[in-house]
Amino acid sequence: MSTQPAPVFTATVLGSARIGPNRELKKAVESYWAGRIDRTELETIAAGLRADTWTAQHAAGLDSVPVNTFSYYDQILDTAAMLGALPARVSGIADDLDRYFAAARGNDDVAPLEMTKWFDTNYHYLVPEIGPDTVFALDASKVLREVAEAQALGIPARPVVVGPLTFLLLSKTVDGQGPLIERVGELVPLYRDLLTQLAEAGVEWVQLDEPALVRDLDDATLDAIGTVYDALASETTRPAILVASYFGELGAALPRLADTAIDGIALDLVAGSAANVAGTPALVDKLIVAGVVDGRNVWRTDLDRALAGLATLLGSARAVAVSSSCSLLHVPYTVAAESELDESLRTWLAFGVEKVDEIVTLSKALRLGRDAVSDELDAARGAARIRESDPRLRNNRIRARLDAISSDRTRTPADRRRDIQQEQLGLPLLPTTTIGSYPQTTRIRVARAALRKGEIERAEYVQRMRDEIAEVVALQEKLGIDVLVHGEPERNDMVQYFAEQLEGFFATENGWVQSYGSRCVRPPILFGDVARPDAMTVDWITYAQSLTSKPVKGMLTGPVTILAWSFVRDDQPLADTADQIALAIRDETVDLQSAGVRIIQVDEPALRELLPLRKADQAEYLRWAVGAFRLSTSGVADSTQIHTHLCYSEFGEVIDAIAELDADVTSIEAARSHMEVLDDLNAVGFALGVGPGVYDIHSPRVPSEDEIVGSLREALQAVPAERLWVNPDCGLKTRGTEEVTASLTNLVAAAQKVRAGLAG
């Protein structure tokens, strides 16, 4: 490396959305999986999306543009592929792309990698499996290819790669080896080789993402920071190294990083504070990339406040660049795509394109002074005044109701409820059920689009959805499932459906973000006080119940999940907003019970997702999160059985809270993690009903009857039969009817086989 400092840049983002403004990548990838397009066509579409993103950001004024943030599925999976750490079970697949997708999704012969949440976001990543036999080997072809594409377009490209510490800290150890951080020495030579190859390709800066360093770290990991980055910085032929952190403050990791010879550090100054960074002595010769524009939420930046924070850093570093707090992967592409926004709300918002503009404005103000951006500053101040005065931000009736509700949110003890419910429901041992949704067929999508375009009347749409419900109920009856669901054909998304019926929300038209792989969601915008004008689900559930003598579950989304999977107002505590949502859900549970619904499921898959990354902050979050759930479910009688569902998170840290939810039955992801969660539940004395998922619905493979029998027998080692339920891991919305029918046929047969064995 040259002894001369690398040229600094002034405006950037830490990463970019990759699905395309109209979900072009989703459609292309799914077409490839279905065999409708070949690899060449898929790669052409992907290259076009990358080029469009880079050129737009550069034209907007970014003088360093992130590349290699594109992925066909997930950036951690990309890193595993780069480091030769895909699981051995996919090694027999000759084509590298099909091998990659097999690790992500599985196939008829191969189980996929486990999936879990990306820190405290609603993005999911695939968890690499590192065993004693894993031999790391570098394949830098993807990174180098994207660098070359960007350079050909004249883009000032900064490749982004997940750092070695975060890769190991987020991976899963298999076959009983020790902490994976002990193997970081095996990765250092590979990363040094990568740095050399990037330098030889003409790269000036490389970004190594280390978000895992914002969590609580043990001494071994803190020590590894200096060891790893001293070694990487000592490489003689390399680009300048920017280590990027996000989703929190670095805390004790900051001085460890600052003391190394890396060239820059990216800091999340939305989740963290500039004041806690200023004055760190070792930063004086480094570039600080200041994440003052929120990359996770959709509100317009307070430019004056951001500039004040930036000003505190100016004397603490070699230079300061303005950036997003994290990748723009987590926000929609542009507010301009929303035609139904009222003009007041529009002025409050900034999606990806608008955030890039804010970054450029702040960078210009930092370099040239506030007068250079006076119009932009005035516009931001005016938008803030409009927002503060909007009457939708305060509903005094709802606030008074919450003030009047008792702080006691408990129900009768669970064992007494269980006896009452079993007598009334009369369910067999190992009752079978599904989580809620059934495949969203072409018929459903066509009907929804026709209603939206005004081609059919509401009454026609309702009848078509009733036909779908009747079909799903009949299928479950035929399969022999014990507790039925209505299939949720009327719901485009489990959060958006409720947001469209609650005051205080705006449901976007095109606000798509990636959740995992090709799965995209449109998080609603929660901008004001929440209220429920009318019942939201009662008509659908009571219609389904009229078709069968078996119990049909009422299906609701819980307050924490609605909060987590929305873009939430930032002008009041999350706990207050959670209670407002909980009150609306509580009213719905009472109405369902009054309509004769005997089982109500209130899903909370995001309970773990919002858990603060630092231990010191977690107890308070869990207190109000559990309280909101119990507020939503404690208004019903003991005879009404409350279910909840949790999926695709590491549950160990919230296992006590899961028990404190006090749901009569908890269904929980367990297939990819091989029932590990049951031991955690037993460790805290969990004595309620539990339905560990017996097969993974995020893979297209159909589990065999014997496979499910094995899962049930494994579950019975941890859970007594009288408390065990049989269900898939999650809802079936994204699967096809054929594979769902085959999978559930095997599920019912397996339950009956194990049930018979218990009776014998």
Side-chain angles (χ1 to χ4, degrees), residues 14 75-76 117-125 166 170 209-216 244-251 266-273 291 293-297 324-331 609-614 617:
L14 295 190
Q75 68 267 19
I76 295 292
K117 293 295 177 72
W118 179 244
F119 297 89
D120 55 351
T121 76
N122 187 31
Y123 178 76
H124 305 62
Y125 74 95
T166 290
L170 297 187
D209 279 4
E210 294 285 13
L213 301 186
V214 306
R215 304 188 304 188
D216 295 324
S245 64
Y246 37 88
F247 302 146
E249 293 191 331
L250 280 168
L267 301 168
D268 183 340
L269 299 182
V270 175
S273 166
V293 171
D294 194 344
R296 292 183 56 176
N297 213 334
S324 56
S325 62
C326 62
S327 171
L328 298 184
L329 169 73
H330 306 287
V331 294
E609 180 180 311
L610 284 185
L611 186 73
L613 301 178
R614 298 282 186 177
D617 303 321

Side-chain angles (χ1 to χ4, degrees), residues 270 294 297-300 302 305 345 348-349 383-395 399 504 525-530 563 567-578 580:
V270 175
D294 194 344
N297 213 334
V298 295
W299 307 109
R300 194 165 180 164
D302 181 336
R305 181 177 179 182
L345 182 54
W348 312 351
L349 300 175
R385 288 192 294 270
I386 292 170
R387 183 181 178 190
E388 289 168 2
S389 63
D390 195 294
R392 294 172 292 182
L393 270 60
R394 188 171 186 88
N395 183 322
R399 291 173 180 254
I525 297 170
L526 200 174
F527 65 88
D529 277 2
V530 178
L563 193 74
F567 294 118
V568 181
R569 61 190 298 183
D570 57 357
D571 60 335
Q572 69 177 21
L574 285 177
D576 294 351
T577 307
Q580 290 181 357

Side-chain angles (χ1 to χ4, degrees), residues 35 135 183 194 218 224 240 244 336 349-351 399 424 515 540 666 696:
V135 178
R183 298 188 62 178
L194 173 65
D218 58 24
L349 300 175
F351 294 176
R399 291 173 180 254
Q424 294 202 8
S515 180
W540 299 112
T666 299
D696 172 31

Side-chain angles (χ1 to χ4, degrees), residues 401-654:
R401 280 191 65 196
L402 283 170
D403 288 343
I405 288 177
S406 168
S407 59
D408 180 12
R409 302 178 180 189
T410 60
R411 300 177 72 200
T412 300
D415 54 348
R416 289 169 56 188
R417 301 198 309 262
R418 185 184 302 120
D419 291 341
I420 295 169
Q421 292 163 11
Q422 183 57 33
E423 180 180 350
Q424 294 202 8
L425 293 170
L427 297 172
L429 206 61
L430 307 183
T432 55
T433 191
T434 56
I435 301 305
S437 61
Y438 269 65
Q440 291 269 311
T441 64
T442 301
R443 294 191 307 268
I444 293 172
R445 294 190 181 96
V446 167
R448 188 175 294 137
L451 178 67
R452 187 171 59 250
K453 295 174 183 176
E455 296 171 356
I456 61 174
E457 297 294 329
R458 176 73 185 176
E460 171 66 17
Y461 173 77
V462 168
Q463 185 55 54
R464 291 192 193 184
M465 294 304 101
R466 285 189 162 207
D467 292 344
E468 296 289 338
I469 291 170
E471 190 171 304
V472 166
V473 169
L475 173 62
Q476 294 171 91
E477 291 267 25
K478 179 181 177 182
L479 293 172
I481 292 174
D482 300 306
V483 174
L484 311 188
V485 297
H486 78 294
E488 304 179 11
E490 79 288 0
R491 304 185 191 183
N492 46 7
D493 177 82
M494 65 182 291
V495 170
Q496 183 179 351
Y497 174 78
F498 293 97
E500 289 173 343
Q501 300 180 78
L502 292 169
E503 294 177 358
F505 283 88
F506 174 78
T508 68
E509 300 167 84
N510 296 292
W512 296 101
V513 295
Q514 184 180 22
S515 180
Y516 63 86
S518 67
R519 169 75 168 149
C520 301
V521 295
R522 278 185 295 161
I525 297 170
L526 200 174
F527 65 88
D529 277 2
V530 178
R532 186 195 76 140
D534 299 293
M536 301 177 285
T537 67
V538 173
D539 288 347
W540 299 112
I541 304 301
T542 53
Y543 173 69
Q545 186 64 78
S546 73
L547 303 174
T548 178
S549 60
K550 290 183 174 182
V552 175
K553 288 191 287 189
M555 300 301 306
L556 303 173
T557 302
V560 174
T561 297
I562 291 178
L563 193 74
W565 293 357
S566 301
F567 294 118
V568 181
R569 61 190 298 183
D570 57 357
D571 60 335
Q572 69 177 21
L574 285 177
D576 294 351
T577 307
D579 272 358
Q580 290 181 357
I581 303 170
L583 185 60
I585 301 301
R586 178 189 181 95
D587 289 346
E588 191 72 12
T589 64
V590 171
D591 283 352
L592 283 166
Q593 177 182 259
S594 298
V597 177
R598 295 175 289 169
I599 301 178
I600 302 172
Q601 182 169 309
V602 182
D603 287 344
E604 283 292 22
L607 178 68
R608 167 64 180 79
E609 180 180 311
L610 284 185
L611 186 73
L613 301 178
R614 298 282 186 177
K615 189 75 173 177
D617 303 321
Q618 293 174 359
E620 174 59 17
Y621 159 71
L622 292 173
R623 180 196 65 76
W624 64 253
V626 168
F629 180 86
R630 289 169 68 151
L631 173 60
S632 70
T633 57
S634 58
V636 297
D638 294 342
S639 56
T640 297
Q641 190 174 77
I642 294 293
H643 288 222
T644 192
H645 171 65
L646 302 98
C647 61
Y648 292 96
S649 288
E650 296 291 340
F651 294 112
E653 293 175 286
V654 297

Side-chain angles (χ1 to χ4, degrees), residues 8-17 52-67 69 154-158 207 289-290 293 321-324 326-328 352-364 367:
V8 297
F9 51 88
T10 65
T12 191
V13 292
L14 295 190
S16 306
D52 289 347
T53 297
W54 300 333
T55 54
Q57 290 181 348
H58 186 38
L62 299 189
D63 54 358
S64 181
V65 175
V67 304
T69 61
I155 302 298
R158 185 183 75 253
Q207 176 179 320
V289 177
V293 171
V322 183
S323 178
S324 56
C326 62
S327 171
L328 298 184
V353 167
E354 293 76 26
K355 289 179 184 296
V356 169
D357 290 339
E358 290 181 329
I359 289 165
V360 172
T361 295
L362 289 166
S363 174
K364 187 181 295 185
R367 290 180 288 112

